[in-house]
């Protein structure tokens, strides 16, 4: 029982310091971006680690920019876009 108390008190210490959550709107934007281009399910994309998901978004954006070099200066990466709300 004491082991359980230690793990609970450890969790309390963790939560008391505060948790930074990833903004929901940004998560959905990244998920839809990857799903649209690679036709992956939302479950597959949601299981990705944050860094991996951001890397995929970056790579897809690079592919898009290389396919349309004349629009390169106008086109933005998904990672550069800000929320419209």
């Amino acid at each position: 029982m004491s082991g359980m108390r230690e793990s609970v008190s450890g969790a309390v210490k963790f939560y008391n310091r505060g948790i930074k959550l990833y903004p929901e709107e940004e998560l959905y934007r990244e998920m839809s971006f990857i799903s649209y281009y690679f036709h992956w399910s939302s479950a597959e994309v949601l299981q990705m680690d944050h860094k991996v998901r951001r890397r995929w978004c970056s790579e897809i954006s690079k592919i898009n920019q290389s396919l349309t070099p004349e629009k390169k200066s106008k086109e933005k990466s998904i990672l550069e876009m800000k929320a419209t709300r």
Side-chain angles (χ1 to χ4, degrees), residues 58-72:
S58 175
E59 294 300 322
I60 293 168
S61 293
K62 287 178 190 176
I63 291 168
N64 283 336
Q65 290 174 352
S66 71
L67 292 175
T68 56
E70 68 279 354
K71 295 182 180 181
K72 197 171 191 175

Side-chain angles (χ1 to χ4, degrees), residues 4 14 16 22-24 29 42 45 55 68 75 85:
M4 187 172 190
F14 176 77
N16 283 341
Y22 198 63
E24 184 178 18
R29 187 175 34 220
S42 58
V45 179
R55 176 70 190 263
T68 56
E75 195 170 312
R85 291 184 192 179

Side-chain angles (χ1 to χ4, degrees), residues 70-83:
E70 68 279 354
K71 295 182 180 181
K72 197 171 191 175
S73 60
K74 296 178 186 177
E75 195 170 312
K76 289 187 176 181
S77 163
I78 182 126
L79 304 176
E80 297 173 44
M81 295 181 180
K82 299 295 178 197

Side-chain angles (χ1 to χ4, degrees), residues 15-58:
Y15 287 115
N16 283 341
R17 288 186 214 134
I19 299 175
K20 282 191 167 184
L21 298 177
Y22 198 63
E24 184 178 18
E25 189 171 319
E26 195 164 340
L27 174 64
Y28 277 101
R29 187 175 34 220
E30 290 173 4
M31 288 176 58
S32 62
F33 187 72
I34 295 169
S35 297
Y36 176 80
Y37 283 100
F38 286 168
H39 308 284
W40 292 347
S41 71
S42 58
E44 290 172 307
V45 179
L46 192 57
Q47 289 176 355
M48 290 179 179
D49 181 64
H50 167 70
K51 287 183 179 182
V52 173
R53 198 173 47 251
R54 295 283 292 202
R55 176 70 190 263
W56 277 108
C57 288
S58 175

